[in-house]
Amino acid sequence: MRGLQGLEDSNPSVRLRAALAVGTDPDPRFIGKLIERCAVEPEFHVRDMLTWALTRHPASMTVPELLGELRSERAQARSQALHTLSKIGDRQVWPAITRALLTDADDEVARSAWRAAVVLVPEGEEPELAGVLATQLGRGERATRLSLSRALIALGEVITPALRDAMADPDPGVRAHALATERLLRDPDAGFEYAIEEAKRVVALGPTRREG
């Protein structure tokens, strides 16, 4: 019980050690508190330890509680629940990774949903997922765009039709992001910044003529 109290200590080092202790000696009575703390914990490293502690408990007990968090009005609760579900890796939760989460207005929630989706997507449903993810091209700042590109690339060649469609989008930011993502798919060593800058130059030059 001291561990549970430690999760709310004002010192992040104490909270980190408390989460480590709870994960080292799992107890189903701690699950609710761990999930509750995930929704409000301000420190990234502590949140990551909370997730690890949850993965140390039986999925049959943690997953239902985490699925409930996906409906929370608190963005961090949704984001951290998605992150934890991706770490647990139970593909039966796939139906809970909804289009609403994949297009969530909060960037952190959306990014967590993208990462969870590429881990949990059932075989054969990758093209449909790629289509939904492609609707988010051009969104947000660099970190958000990089997260989306990585998620798309993790799906492999099935993303090509969705990227091609996005390259014809009237928004130059969408076109550039799609071009950069395709470049990274073909050449993973190109680097995101280089791919984005090259894509911007291509977009600025206007459409190229295609043979046939």
Side-chain angles (χ1 to χ4, degrees):
M1 299 311 293
R2 283 199 303 272
L4 290 181
Q5 293 173 348
L7 292 174
E8 297 184 343
D9 195 275
S10 61
N11 187 330
S13 296
V14 174
R15 299 198 302 275
L16 184 69
R17 289 195 297 271
L20 174 61
V22 172
T24 301
D25 187 17
D27 186 325
R29 293 176 298 173
F30 295 165
I31 292 173
K33 189 63 181 180
L34 289 170
I35 292 175
E36 178 185 315
R37 189 64 206 173
C38 280
V40 297
E41 172 55 52
E43 297 292 332
F44 169 78
H45 294 297
V46 179
R47 291 199 303 272
D48 224 31
M49 189 64 77
L50 291 167
T51 283
W52 172 79
L54 282 164
T55 66
R56 296 271 297 157
H57 292 78
S60 61
M61 303 185 77
T62 57
V63 167
E65 299 294 326
L66 290 165
L67 291 176
E69 290 293 281
L70 299 183
R71 298 186 294 272
S72 172
E73 294 184 3
R74 187 185 292 269
Q76 185 172 304
R78 301 196 301 277
S79 175
Q80 199 64 23
L82 285 161
H83 175 63
T84 306
L85 287 168
S86 74
K87 295 299 183 183
I88 293 171
D90 182 353
R91 294 200 172 197
Q92 293 184 62
V93 310
W94 169 248
I97 312 300
T98 61
R99 187 185 187 99
L101 287 170
L102 292 168
T103 60
D104 196 283
D106 185 279
D107 284 347
E108 287 304 313
V109 176
R111 290 172 64 186
S112 294
W114 302 338
R115 290 190 291 264
V118 299
V119 170
L120 301 172
V121 61
E123 186 175 353
E125 295 195 31
E126 295 91 347
E128 183 177 352
L129 173 59
V132 176
L133 294 182
T135 67
Q136 303 302 291
L137 287 164
R139 169 179 175 165
E141 301 299 325
R142 177 190 180 280
T144 300
R145 297 188 182 201
L146 177 56
S147 289
L148 181 58
S149 291
R150 285 173 171 167
L152 283 163
I153 290 166
L155 295 174
E157 291 293 333
V158 300
I159 69 173
T160 301
L163 291 181
R164 293 293 184 189
D165 288 345
M167 288 175 199
D169 194 278
D171 185 331
V174 173
R175 298 202 302 275
H177 195 183
L179 282 164
T181 303
E182 186 190 43
R183 171 63 188 269
L184 288 171
L185 178 66
R186 307 293 174 212
D187 181 11
D189 295 327
F192 185 69
E193 295 296 345
Y194 175 78
I196 281 287
E197 291 306 315
E198 181 172 297
K200 286 179 179 177
R201 286 194 293 272
V202 171
V203 169
L205 290 172
T208 58
R209 293 183 58 188
R210 293 175 180 263
E211 297 298 328

